[in-house]
Amino acid sequence: MTDQSHFVEIRHAQKSYGTLEVLKDISLNVERGQIVAIIGPSGSGKSTLLRAINDLDSLTGGEVWLDGVQVNKDLPHRQYEKHINAMRQDIGMVFQHFNLFPHLTARENVVMAPKMLKGLSKEAADKLAEEQLEKVGMLDRIDYYPSRLSGGQKQRVAIARALAMKPKLMLFDEATSALDPELVDEVNMVMKKLAEEHMTMIIVTHEMDFAASVCDRVLFMDQGVVVEEGPPEIVFRKPTKDRTREFLRKHLAGVA
Amino acid sequence: MGLDFTVVPAHIDIILLGCLWTIAIAVAAAVLSFFGGIVFAVIALYGPWIIRLPFRLLEWVFMGTPLLLQLFLIYFGLVQIGIDLPAFVAGIIGLGLHFAVYNSELIQTAILSVDKGQMEAARTVGLSRGQALRKVVIPQAVRDVIPPIGNNMIALLKDSALVSVIGVSELTLSAQRAIGATYRPFEFYLVAAAFYYVINLGMEWVQRRIERRISISR
């Protein structure tokens, strides 16, 4: 079972808090360049699954592999810390509430980790910040503090911050859920651009339209299990499970 | 005999020298108490128990006993075990550690109230916990806590008068010396009080400047 053939591989992920089982034996493979959306009602375990991939939430059972390396290796504490810090450099993450560092400018947010961890020179760091902020259309706000940016702008800077580490995989945890409706598009545009560049992405989202338009595959989760999985045109148009149908009906009704 | 301030100018040099000592001791102790407070807070929150426990004891000593006694212990007590500190150094250490413990309490609360997402975001870009604390969490915690720490620093300045008892010629002791020469306690104590007030204004001004600089990034 140790040979690894998929880019991202989640094997029998299991997570419980005491007697509460949040993830019940979930397996998922993602190939290089693929984009997978995870949808489902709140409390379905979708965020927990996403956060298990970079071990922000540790699994109680199962394995996570990225590009041939096990993320949640069983190592003594000190060694594990070293290992996970290195792994996380390859896994970018974008949060619902942006979590930009408020005491740093957009530029400093982007280059802090590359400077500390990769020892970039000031010139290299400036170049990197400009490059990444340009990519998300925020070059004109490079020296702004987060408090002077809108939600959508903050999220774009947060994406640039994650990209600055040149990750192999990007995780999006409801990246547009906290945004005012008119600010959602600018963030979606950036994510679409990443999709065009074949970034491997796993996206937890409530936005069915967006998921349908960019994703190769959709996972519908409920109560800690994957209820249904497949290409978006199947999961959204012709779901086979009642629970999926019910969720989509409620959700789409709520949106409309 | 009413108040007669004409005796003051003849002794103003000793008073000014005392002011300089008071400022030097207060600033050095303030710096020590600030960085010491950060270190103490990190130990209290994240240190291994083997460091945390003796540290708790030390904290209890500094919070639960009079500062005057602590100064005596550091200046007169430590000599007995071979640590002979100059009086002003003992004063700085005593004041600095005493207020470091109070600052630590403030900083601990502030660290705990920094949004959990900040640590998470720092960890997801690959920073270790120590790096995340140093670069992300502590700078934000300290920022929140500048005004109450400023209050502690004003208390520190006032309590610096206590180091006169171990023979440091700071403002209070200088005033007493001038009084010894002139038998004019009211005048010189009032002059000393005025100088304390002026130094305090200076500290408040510094604090406001720091706060203003910080508020730009909010």
Side-chain angles (χ1 to χ4, degrees), chain A residues 51 54 81 85 88 91 99-103 112-113 116-117 145 147 161, chain B residues 117-118 120-128 131 135-136 139-140 143 217-218:
Chain A
R51 291 163 57 89
N54 63 359
E81 282 297 304
N85 290 340
R88 282 173 178 157
I91 309 175
N99 298 352
L100 279 185
F101 308 132
H103 60 303
M112 183 187 72
M116 285 178 81
L117 302 172
Y145 283 98
S147 57
R161 174 178 69 182
Chain B
Q118 292 291 314
E120 285 187 347
R123 296 306 302 273
T124 53
V125 285
L127 266 59
S128 68
Q131 289 171 323
K135 287 287 185 177
V136 174
Q140 292 181 55
R143 212 170 67 145
S217 63
R218 283 197 200 259

PDB file of all heavy atoms in Angstrom, chain A residues 51 54 81 85 88 91 99-103 112-113 116-117 145 147 161, chain B residues 117-118 120-128 131 135-136 139-140 143 217-218:
ATOM      1  N   ARG A  51      -8.686  20.748   5.954  1.00  0.00           N
ATOM      2  CA  ARG A  51      -7.664  21.139   6.931  1.00  0.00           C
ATOM      3  C   ARG A  51      -6.795  19.964   7.365  1.00  0.00           C
ATOM      4  O   ARG A  51      -5.722  20.169   7.938  1.00  0.00           O
ATOM      5  CB  ARG A  51      -8.324  21.793   8.139  1.00  0.00           C
ATOM      6  CG  ARG A  51      -8.926  23.169   7.810  1.00  0.00           C
ATOM      7  CD  ARG A  51      -9.923  23.606   8.869  1.00  0.00           C
ATOM      8  NE  ARG A  51      -9.337  23.633  10.190  1.00  0.00           N
ATOM      9  CZ  ARG A  51      -8.714  24.697  10.706  1.00  0.00           C
ATOM     10  NH1 ARG A  51      -8.642  25.813  10.015  1.00  0.00           N
ATOM     11  NH2 ARG A  51      -8.180  24.642  11.897  1.00  0.00           N
ATOM     12  N   ASN A  54      -3.266  19.621   5.160  1.00  0.00           N
ATOM     13  CA  ASN A  54      -2.001  20.205   5.634  1.00  0.00           C
ATOM     14  C   ASN A  54      -1.850  20.067   7.147  1.00  0.00           C
ATOM     15  O   ASN A  54      -1.059  20.759   7.765  1.00  0.00           O
ATOM     16  CB  ASN A  54      -1.857  21.660   5.178  1.00  0.00           C
ATOM     17  CG  ASN A  54      -2.926  22.560   5.751  1.00  0.00           C
ATOM     18  OD1 ASN A  54      -3.798  22.103   6.491  1.00  0.00           O
ATOM     19  ND2 ASN A  54      -2.858  23.834   5.433  1.00  0.00           N
ATOM     20  N   GLU A  81       7.575  18.138  13.515  1.00  0.00           N
ATOM     21  CA  GLU A  81       7.427  19.585  13.328  1.00  0.00           C
ATOM     22  C   GLU A  81       8.246  20.047  12.122  1.00  0.00           C
ATOM     23  O   GLU A  81       7.775  20.816  11.290  1.00  0.00           O
ATOM     24  CB  GLU A  81       7.871  20.330  14.585  1.00  0.00           C
ATOM     25  CG  GLU A  81       6.831  20.317  15.710  1.00  0.00           C
ATOM     26  CD  GLU A  81       5.548  21.030  15.309  1.00  0.00           C
ATOM     27  OE1 GLU A  81       5.616  22.203  14.924  1.00  0.00           O
ATOM     28  OE2 GLU A  81       4.465  20.394  15.378  1.00  0.00           O
ATOM     29  N   ASN A  85       6.445  21.431   8.712  1.00  0.00           N
ATOM     30  CA  ASN A  85       6.729  22.795   8.260  1.00  0.00           C
ATOM     31  C   ASN A  85       7.224  22.796   6.818  1.00  0.00           C
ATOM     32  O   ASN A  85       6.853  23.664   6.027  1.00  0.00           O
ATOM     33  CB  ASN A  85       7.767  23.457   9.167  1.00  0.00           C
ATOM     34  CG  ASN A  85       7.210  23.748  10.544  1.00  0.00           C
ATOM     35  OD1 ASN A  85       5.989  23.808  10.734  1.00  0.00           O
ATOM     36  ND2 ASN A  85       8.083  23.897  11.521  1.00  0.00           N
ATOM     37  N   ARG A  88       4.236  21.957   4.509  1.00  0.00           N
ATOM     38  CA  ARG A  88       3.273  23.062   4.370  1.00  0.00           C
ATOM     39  C   ARG A  88       3.763  24.125   3.393  1.00  0.00           C
ATOM     40  O   ARG A  88       2.960  24.877   2.844  1.00  0.00           O
ATOM     41  CB  ARG A  88       2.987  23.687   5.733  1.00  0.00           C
ATOM     42  CG  ARG A  88       2.015  22.852   6.552  1.00  0.00           C
ATOM     43  CD  ARG A  88       1.895  23.397   7.949  1.00  0.00           C
ATOM     44  NE  ARG A  88       0.924  22.640   8.741  1.00  0.00           N
ATOM     45  CZ  ARG A  88       0.944  22.599  10.056  1.00  0.00           C
ATOM     46  NH1 ARG A  88       1.868  23.261  10.724  1.00  0.00           N
ATOM     47  NH2 ARG A  88       0.029  21.908  10.720  1.00  0.00           N
ATOM     48  N   ILE A  91       2.057  23.448   0.287  1.00  0.00           N
ATOM     49  CA  ILE A  91       0.586  23.429   0.290  1.00  0.00           C
ATOM     50  C   ILE A  91       0.078  24.820   0.657  1.00  0.00           C
ATOM     51  O   ILE A  91       0.145  25.228   1.815  1.00  0.00           O
ATOM     52  CB  ILE A  91       0.044  22.396   1.306  1.00  0.00           C
ATOM     53  CG1 ILE A  91       0.712  21.029   1.093  1.00  0.00           C
ATOM     54  CG2 ILE A  91      -1.478  22.290   1.187  1.00  0.00           C
ATOM     55  CD1 ILE A  91       0.327  19.989   2.128  1.00  0.00           C
ATOM     56  N   ASN A  99      -7.381  36.001   7.037  1.00  0.00           N
ATOM     57  CA  ASN A  99      -6.266  35.874   7.968  1.00  0.00           C
ATOM     58  C   ASN A  99      -4.986  36.535   7.469  1.00  0.00           C
ATOM     59  O   ASN A  99      -3.895  36.027   7.660  1.00  0.00           O
ATOM     60  CB  ASN A  99      -5.976  34.396   8.285  1.00  0.00           C
ATOM     61  CG  ASN A  99      -7.151  33.718   8.957  1.00  0.00           C
ATOM     62  OD1 ASN A  99      -8.119  34.378   9.328  1.00  0.00           O
ATOM     63  ND2 ASN A  99      -7.088  32.413   9.104  1.00  0.00           N
ATOM     64  N   LEU A 100      -5.146  37.684   6.831  1.00  0.00           N
ATOM     65  CA  LEU A 100      -3.954  38.476   6.498  1.00  0.00           C
ATOM     66  C   LEU A 100      -3.345  38.975   7.793  1.00  0.00           C
ATOM     67  O   LEU A 100      -4.042  39.166   8.783  1.00  0.00           O
ATOM     68  CB  LEU A 100      -4.324  39.672   5.626  1.00  0.00           C
ATOM     69  CG  LEU A 100      -4.507  39.424   4.138  1.00  0.00           C
ATOM     70  CD1 LEU A 100      -4.740  40.752   3.437  1.00  0.00           C
ATOM     71  CD2 LEU A 100      -3.304  38.723   3.536  1.00  0.00           C
ATOM     72  N   PHE A 101      -2.028  39.207   7.768  1.00  0.00           N
ATOM     73  CA  PHE A 101      -1.372  39.730   8.959  1.00  0.00           C
ATOM     74  C   PHE A 101      -1.606  41.244   8.991  1.00  0.00           C
ATOM     75  O   PHE A 101      -1.077  41.973   8.161  1.00  0.00           O
ATOM     76  CB  PHE A 101       0.118  39.391   8.926  1.00  0.00           C
ATOM     77  CG  PHE A 101       0.384  37.921   8.696  1.00  0.00           C
ATOM     78  CD1 PHE A 101       1.298  37.497   7.754  1.00  0.00           C
ATOM     79  CD2 PHE A 101      -0.313  36.957   9.422  1.00  0.00           C
ATOM     80  CE1 PHE A 101       1.540  36.140   7.544  1.00  0.00           C
ATOM     81  CE2 PHE A 101      -0.084  35.598   9.220  1.00  0.00           C
ATOM     82  CZ  PHE A 101       0.841  35.195   8.274  1.00  0.00           C
ATOM     83  N   PRO A 102      -2.398  41.733   9.954  1.00  0.00           N
ATOM     84  CA  PRO A 102      -2.829  43.139   9.909  1.00  0.00           C
ATOM     85  C   PRO A 102      -1.708  44.136  10.178  1.00  0.00           C
ATOM     86  O   PRO A 102      -1.838  45.300   9.831  1.00  0.00           O
ATOM     87  CB  PRO A 102      -3.889  43.212  11.018  1.00  0.00           C
ATOM     88  CG  PRO A 102      -3.589  42.082  11.926  1.00  0.00           C
ATOM     89  CD  PRO A 102      -2.984  41.003  11.084  1.00  0.00           C
ATOM     90  N   HIS A 103      -0.619  43.652  10.779  1.00  0.00           N
ATOM     91  CA  HIS A 103       0.471  44.578  11.108  1.00  0.00           C
ATOM     92  C   HIS A 103       1.474  44.693   9.964  1.00  0.00           C
ATOM     93  O   HIS A 103       2.476  45.386  10.096  1.00  0.00           O
ATOM     94  CB  HIS A 103       1.166  44.138  12.386  1.00  0.00           C
ATOM     95  CG  HIS A 103       1.779  42.760  12.305  1.00  0.00           C
ATOM     96  ND1 HIS A 103       1.021  41.650  11.991  1.00  0.00           N
ATOM     97  CD2 HIS A 103       3.038  42.331  12.470  1.00  0.00           C
ATOM     98  CE1 HIS A 103       1.813  40.589  11.985  1.00  0.00           C
ATOM     99  NE2 HIS A 103       3.041  40.971  12.263  1.00  0.00           N
ATOM    100  N   MET A 112       6.888  37.668   3.644  1.00  0.00           N
ATOM    101  CA  MET A 112       7.424  37.307   4.962  1.00  0.00           C
ATOM    102  C   MET A 112       7.957  35.880   5.000  1.00  0.00           C
ATOM    103  O   MET A 112       9.111  35.643   5.355  1.00  0.00           O
ATOM    104  CB  MET A 112       6.366  37.488   6.040  1.00  0.00           C
ATOM    105  CG  MET A 112       6.936  37.199   7.414  1.00  0.00           C
ATOM    106  SD  MET A 112       5.715  37.201   8.708  1.00  0.00           S
ATOM    107  CE  MET A 112       4.871  35.702   8.326  1.00  0.00           C
ATOM    108  N   ALA A 113       7.108  34.931   4.620  1.00  0.00           N
ATOM    109  CA  ALA A 113       7.531  33.526   4.709  1.00  0.00           C
ATOM    110  C   ALA A 113       8.664  33.202   3.735  1.00  0.00           C
ATOM    111  O   ALA A 113       9.661  32.595   4.144  1.00  0.00           O
ATOM    112  CB  ALA A 113       6.334  32.602   4.501  1.00  0.00           C
ATOM    113  N   MET A 116      11.852  34.520   5.251  1.00  0.00           N
ATOM    114  CA  MET A 116      12.329  33.789   6.432  1.00  0.00           C
ATOM    115  C   MET A 116      12.802  32.385   6.073  1.00  0.00           C
ATOM    116  O   MET A 116      13.768  31.885   6.617  1.00  0.00           O
ATOM    117  CB  MET A 116      11.213  33.671   7.460  1.00  0.00           C
ATOM    118  CG  MET A 116      10.928  34.942   8.201  1.00  0.00           C
ATOM    119  SD  MET A 116       9.567  34.704   9.345  1.00  0.00           S
ATOM    120  CE  MET A 116      10.419  33.928  10.709  1.00  0.00           C
ATOM    121  N   LEU A 117      12.037  31.727   5.210  1.00  0.00           N
ATOM    122  CA  LEU A 117      12.266  30.295   5.010  1.00  0.00           C
ATOM    123  C   LEU A 117      13.175  30.002   3.834  1.00  0.00           C
ATOM    124  O   LEU A 117      13.812  28.970   3.768  1.00  0.00           O
ATOM    125  CB  LEU A 117      10.928  29.578   4.832  1.00  0.00           C
ATOM    126  CG  LEU A 117       9.953  29.758   5.999  1.00  0.00           C
ATOM    127  CD1 LEU A 117       8.596  29.197   5.657  1.00  0.00           C
ATOM    128  CD2 LEU A 117      10.507  29.101   7.251  1.00  0.00           C
ATOM    129  N   TYR A 145      -1.825  48.627   4.040  1.00  0.00           N
ATOM    130  CA  TYR A 145      -2.107  47.692   5.128  1.00  0.00           C
ATOM    131  C   TYR A 145      -3.482  47.066   4.883  1.00  0.00           C
ATOM    132  O   TYR A 145      -4.358  47.710   4.288  1.00  0.00           O
ATOM    133  CB  TYR A 145      -2.088  48.416   6.476  1.00  0.00           C
ATOM    134  CG  TYR A 145      -0.680  48.692   6.958  1.00  0.00           C
ATOM    135  CD1 TYR A 145      -0.080  49.924   6.775  1.00  0.00           C
ATOM    136  CD2 TYR A 145       0.048  47.692   7.600  1.00  0.00           C
ATOM    137  CE1 TYR A 145       1.228  50.168   7.210  1.00  0.00           C
ATOM    138  CE2 TYR A 145       1.348  47.921   8.045  1.00  0.00           C
ATOM    139  CZ  TYR A 145       1.926  49.161   7.843  1.00  0.00           C
ATOM    140  OH  TYR A 145       3.197  49.380   8.275  1.00  0.00           O
ATOM    141  N   SER A 147      -6.040  46.796   6.627  1.00  0.00           N
ATOM    142  CA  SER A 147      -7.197  47.555   7.106  1.00  0.00           C
ATOM    143  C   SER A 147      -7.727  48.523   6.049  1.00  0.00           C
ATOM    144  O   SER A 147      -8.860  48.979   6.134  1.00  0.00           O
ATOM    145  CB  SER A 147      -6.820  48.341   8.361  1.00  0.00           C
ATOM    146  OG  SER A 147      -5.727  49.184   8.083  1.00  0.00           O
ATOM    147  N   ARG A 161      -0.169  35.676  -1.130  1.00  0.00           N
ATOM    148  CA  ARG A 161       0.706  35.219  -0.044  1.00  0.00           C
ATOM    149  C   ARG A 161       0.941  33.711  -0.122  1.00  0.00           C
ATOM    150  O   ARG A 161       2.062  33.237   0.050  1.00  0.00           O
ATOM    151  CB  ARG A 161       0.081  35.586   1.308  1.00  0.00           C
ATOM    152  CG  ARG A 161       0.834  35.032   2.506  1.00  0.00           C
ATOM    153  CD  ARG A 161       0.214  35.458   3.812  1.00  0.00           C
ATOM    154  NE  ARG A 161      -1.090  34.833   4.027  1.00  0.00           N
ATOM    155  CZ  ARG A 161      -1.856  35.069   5.084  1.00  0.00           C
ATOM    156  NH1 ARG A 161      -1.467  35.924   6.009  1.00  0.00           N
ATOM    157  NH2 ARG A 161      -3.018  34.474   5.213  1.00  0.00           N
TER     158      ARG A 161
ATOM    159  N   GLY B 117      -6.822  32.419  13.725  1.00  0.00           N
ATOM    160  CA  GLY B 117      -6.524  32.344  12.294  1.00  0.00           C
ATOM    161  C   GLY B 117      -5.151  32.898  11.948  1.00  0.00           C
ATOM    162  O   GLY B 117      -4.568  32.513  10.939  1.00  0.00           O
ATOM    163  N   GLN B 118      -4.623  33.800  12.786  1.00  0.00           N
ATOM    164  CA  GLN B 118      -3.308  34.371  12.520  1.00  0.00           C
ATOM    165  C   GLN B 118      -2.227  33.303  12.643  1.00  0.00           C
ATOM    166  O   GLN B 118      -1.352  33.195  11.796  1.00  0.00           O
ATOM    167  CB  GLN B 118      -3.038  35.521  13.491  1.00  0.00           C
ATOM    168  CG  GLN B 118      -3.926  36.719  13.250  1.00  0.00           C
ATOM    169  CD  GLN B 118      -3.582  37.402  11.943  1.00  0.00           C
ATOM    170  OE1 GLN B 118      -2.425  37.626  11.642  1.00  0.00           O
ATOM    171  NE2 GLN B 118      -4.582  37.704  11.156  1.00  0.00           N
ATOM    172  N   GLU B 120      -2.745  30.110  12.461  1.00  0.00           N
ATOM    173  CA  GLU B 120      -2.988  29.111  11.412  1.00  0.00           C
ATOM    174  C   GLU B 120      -2.412  29.569  10.078  1.00  0.00           C
ATOM    175  O   GLU B 120      -1.753  28.802   9.378  1.00  0.00           O
ATOM    176  CB  GLU B 120      -4.490  28.850  11.254  1.00  0.00           C
ATOM    177  CG  GLU B 120      -5.067  28.014  12.376  1.00  0.00           C
ATOM    178  CD  GLU B 120      -6.502  27.613  12.125  1.00  0.00           C
ATOM    179  OE1 GLU B 120      -7.127  28.177  11.208  1.00  0.00           O
ATOM    180  OE2 GLU B 120      -6.993  26.733  12.855  1.00  0.00           O
ATOM    181  N   ALA B 121      -2.671  30.837   9.730  1.00  0.00           N
ATOM    182  CA  ALA B 121      -2.176  31.341   8.455  1.00  0.00           C
ATOM    183  C   ALA B 121      -0.653  31.304   8.430  1.00  0.00           C
ATOM    184  O   ALA B 121      -0.044  30.954   7.420  1.00  0.00           O
ATOM    185  CB  ALA B 121      -2.678  32.765   8.216  1.00  0.00           C
ATOM    186  N   ALA B 122      -0.029  31.645   9.555  1.00  0.00           N
ATOM    187  CA  ALA B 122       1.431  31.632   9.609  1.00  0.00           C
ATOM    188  C   ALA B 122       1.967  30.208   9.490  1.00  0.00           C
ATOM    189  O   ALA B 122       2.972  29.963   8.822  1.00  0.00           O
ATOM    190  CB  ALA B 122       1.920  32.276  10.907  1.00  0.00           C
ATOM    191  N   ARG B 123       1.273  29.266  10.132  1.00  0.00           N
ATOM    192  CA  ARG B 123       1.731  27.873  10.042  1.00  0.00           C
ATOM    193  C   ARG B 123       1.549  27.314   8.633  1.00  0.00           C
ATOM    194  O   ARG B 123       2.356  26.530   8.167  1.00  0.00           O
ATOM    195  CB  ARG B 123       0.973  26.979  11.033  1.00  0.00           C
ATOM    196  CG  ARG B 123       1.190  27.295  12.509  1.00  0.00           C
ATOM    197  CD  ARG B 123       2.632  27.329  12.924  1.00  0.00           C
ATOM    198  NE  ARG B 123       3.377  26.094  12.671  1.00  0.00           N
ATOM    199  CZ  ARG B 123       3.436  25.065  13.521  1.00  0.00           C
ATOM    200  NH1 ARG B 123       2.810  25.123  14.673  1.00  0.00           N
ATOM    201  NH2 ARG B 123       4.137  23.992  13.218  1.00  0.00           N
ATOM    202  N   THR B 124       0.476  27.716   7.938  1.00  0.00           N
ATOM    203  CA  THR B 124       0.239  27.127   6.618  1.00  0.00           C
ATOM    204  C   THR B 124       1.258  27.592   5.576  1.00  0.00           C
ATOM    205  O   THR B 124       1.431  26.931   4.573  1.00  0.00           O
ATOM    206  CB  THR B 124      -1.168  27.449   6.059  1.00  0.00           C
ATOM    207  OG1 THR B 124      -1.357  28.843   6.089  1.00  0.00           O
ATOM    208  CG2 THR B 124      -2.242  26.756   6.844  1.00  0.00           C
ATOM    209  N   VAL B 125       1.935  28.714   5.804  1.00  0.00           N
ATOM    210  CA  VAL B 125       2.991  29.073   4.855  1.00  0.00           C
ATOM    211  C   VAL B 125       4.320  28.446   5.261  1.00  0.00           C
ATOM    212  O   VAL B 125       5.338  28.694   4.621  1.00  0.00           O
ATOM    213  CB  VAL B 125       3.145  30.602   4.663  1.00  0.00           C
ATOM    214  CG1 VAL B 125       2.016  31.140   3.812  1.00  0.00           C
ATOM    215  CG2 VAL B 125       3.256  31.317   5.979  1.00  0.00           C
ATOM    216  N   GLY B 126       4.319  27.659   6.315  1.00  0.00           N
ATOM    217  CA  GLY B 126       5.502  26.877   6.656  1.00  0.00           C
ATOM    218  C   GLY B 126       6.297  27.369   7.855  1.00  0.00           C
ATOM    219  O   GLY B 126       7.333  26.820   8.184  1.00  0.00           O
ATOM    220  N   LEU B 127       5.816  28.427   8.529  1.00  0.00           N
ATOM    221  CA  LEU B 127       6.529  28.914   9.705  1.00  0.00           C
ATOM    222  C   LEU B 127       6.364  27.928  10.864  1.00  0.00           C
ATOM    223  O   LEU B 127       5.309  27.307  11.016  1.00  0.00           O
ATOM    224  CB  LEU B 127       5.977  30.279  10.139  1.00  0.00           C
ATOM    225  CG  LEU B 127       6.677  31.533   9.610  1.00  0.00           C
ATOM    226  CD1 LEU B 127       6.654  31.561   8.100  1.00  0.00           C
ATOM    227  CD2 LEU B 127       6.030  32.783  10.167  1.00  0.00           C
ATOM    228  N   SER B 128       7.407  27.806  11.674  1.00  0.00           N
ATOM    229  CA  SER B 128       7.289  27.004  12.888  1.00  0.00           C
ATOM    230  C   SER B 128       6.472  27.802  13.910  1.00  0.00           C
ATOM    231  O   SER B 128       6.221  28.992  13.709  1.00  0.00           O
ATOM    232  CB  SER B 128       8.667  26.710  13.461  1.00  0.00           C
ATOM    233  OG  SER B 128       9.241  27.906  13.952  1.00  0.00           O
ATOM    234  N   GLN B 131       8.496  30.754  15.126  1.00  0.00           N
ATOM    235  CA  GLN B 131       8.574  31.830  14.120  1.00  0.00           C
ATOM    236  C   GLN B 131       7.250  32.563  14.006  1.00  0.00           C
ATOM    237  O   GLN B 131       7.208  33.788  13.884  1.00  0.00           O
ATOM    238  CB  GLN B 131       8.955  31.230  12.760  1.00  0.00           C
ATOM    239  CG  GLN B 131      10.387  30.757  12.669  1.00  0.00           C
ATOM    240  CD  GLN B 131      10.653  29.969  11.391  1.00  0.00           C
ATOM    241  OE1 GLN B 131       9.806  29.211  10.917  1.00  0.00           O
ATOM    242  NE2 GLN B 131      11.839  30.128  10.832  1.00  0.00           N
ATOM    243  N   LYS B 135       6.927  36.532  14.679  1.00  0.00           N
ATOM    244  CA  LYS B 135       6.695  37.437  13.560  1.00  0.00           C
ATOM    245  C   LYS B 135       5.233  37.864  13.405  1.00  0.00           C
ATOM    246  O   LYS B 135       4.939  38.873  12.791  1.00  0.00           O
ATOM    247  CB  LYS B 135       7.142  36.761  12.253  1.00  0.00           C
ATOM    248  CG  LYS B 135       8.632  36.685  12.118  1.00  0.00           C
ATOM    249  CD  LYS B 135       9.192  38.072  11.821  1.00  0.00           C
ATOM    250  CE  LYS B 135      10.679  37.990  11.560  1.00  0.00           C
ATOM    251  NZ  LYS B 135      11.243  39.287  11.206  1.00  0.00           N
ATOM    252  N   VAL B 136       4.318  37.059  13.912  1.00  0.00           N
ATOM    253  CA  VAL B 136       2.906  37.323  13.642  1.00  0.00           C
ATOM    254  C   VAL B 136       2.108  37.596  14.920  1.00  0.00           C
ATOM    255  O   VAL B 136       1.446  38.627  15.033  1.00  0.00           O
ATOM    256  CB  VAL B 136       2.276  36.137  12.859  1.00  0.00           C
ATOM    257  CG1 VAL B 136       0.777  36.331  12.694  1.00  0.00           C
ATOM    258  CG2 VAL B 136       2.954  35.980  11.506  1.00  0.00           C
ATOM    259  N   PRO B 139       3.920  40.496  17.721  1.00  0.00           N
ATOM    260  CA  PRO B 139       3.803  41.904  17.300  1.00  0.00           C
ATOM    261  C   PRO B 139       2.376  42.448  17.423  1.00  0.00           C
ATOM    262  O   PRO B 139       2.173  43.596  17.802  1.00  0.00           O
ATOM    263  CB  PRO B 139       4.251  41.873  15.834  1.00  0.00           C
ATOM    264  CG  PRO B 139       5.128  40.677  15.722  1.00  0.00           C
ATOM    265  CD  PRO B 139       4.583  39.667  16.689  1.00  0.00           C
ATOM    266  N   GLN B 140       1.394  41.602  17.128  1.00  0.00           N
ATOM    267  CA  GLN B 140       0.004  42.064  17.243  1.00  0.00           C
ATOM    268  C   GLN B 140      -0.426  42.193  18.697  1.00  0.00           C
ATOM    269  O   GLN B 140      -1.153  43.118  19.061  1.00  0.00           O
ATOM    270  CB  GLN B 140      -0.928  41.095  16.518  1.00  0.00           C
ATOM    271  CG  GLN B 140      -0.733  41.121  15.019  1.00  0.00           C
ATOM    272  CD  GLN B 140      -1.678  40.169  14.319  1.00  0.00           C
ATOM    273  OE1 GLN B 140      -2.880  40.244  14.493  1.00  0.00           O
ATOM    274  NE2 GLN B 140      -1.127  39.261  13.535  1.00  0.00           N
ATOM    275  N   ARG B 143       1.119  45.321  20.214  1.00  0.00           N
ATOM    276  CA  ARG B 143       0.426  46.485  19.691  1.00  0.00           C
ATOM    277  C   ARG B 143      -0.842  46.804  20.481  1.00  0.00           C
ATOM    278  O   ARG B 143      -1.124  47.953  20.807  1.00  0.00           O
ATOM    279  CB  ARG B 143       0.030  46.132  18.257  1.00  0.00           C
ATOM    280  CG  ARG B 143      -0.008  47.203  17.290  1.00  0.00           C
ATOM    281  CD  ARG B 143      -0.179  46.596  15.935  1.00  0.00           C
ATOM    282  NE  ARG B 143      -1.476  45.960  15.779  1.00  0.00           N
ATOM    283  CZ  ARG B 143      -2.136  45.950  14.641  1.00  0.00           C
ATOM    284  NH1 ARG B 143      -1.629  46.539  13.590  1.00  0.00           N
ATOM    285  NH2 ARG B 143      -3.291  45.362  14.545  1.00  0.00           N
ATOM    286  N   SER B 217      -0.994  51.455  10.913  1.00  0.00           N
ATOM    287  CA  SER B 217      -1.116  50.136  10.285  1.00  0.00           C
ATOM    288  C   SER B 217      -2.433  49.454  10.631  1.00  0.00           C
ATOM    289  O   SER B 217      -2.628  48.299  10.328  1.00  0.00           O
ATOM    290  CB  SER B 217       0.062  49.259  10.700  1.00  0.00           C
ATOM    291  OG  SER B 217       0.042  49.055  12.083  1.00  0.00           O
ATOM    292  N   ARG B 218      -3.339  50.164  11.284  1.00  0.00           N
ATOM    293  CA  ARG B 218      -4.612  49.509  11.599  1.00  0.00           C
ATOM    294  C   ARG B 218      -5.621  49.701  10.487  1.00  0.00           C
ATOM    295  O   ARG B 218      -5.695  50.726   9.899  1.00  0.00           O
ATOM    296  CB  ARG B 218      -5.164  50.055  12.907  1.00  0.00           C
ATOM    297  CG  ARG B 218      -4.448  49.459  14.072  1.00  0.00           C
ATOM    298  CD  ARG B 218      -5.254  49.667  15.335  1.00  0.00           C
ATOM    299  NE  ARG B 218      -4.419  49.535  16.505  1.00  0.00           N
ATOM    300  CZ  ARG B 218      -4.381  48.445  17.259  1.00  0.00           C
ATOM    301  NH1 ARG B 218      -5.136  47.439  16.982  1.00  0.00           N
ATOM    302  NH2 ARG B 218      -3.594  48.385  18.303  1.00  0.00           N
TER     303      ARG B 218
END
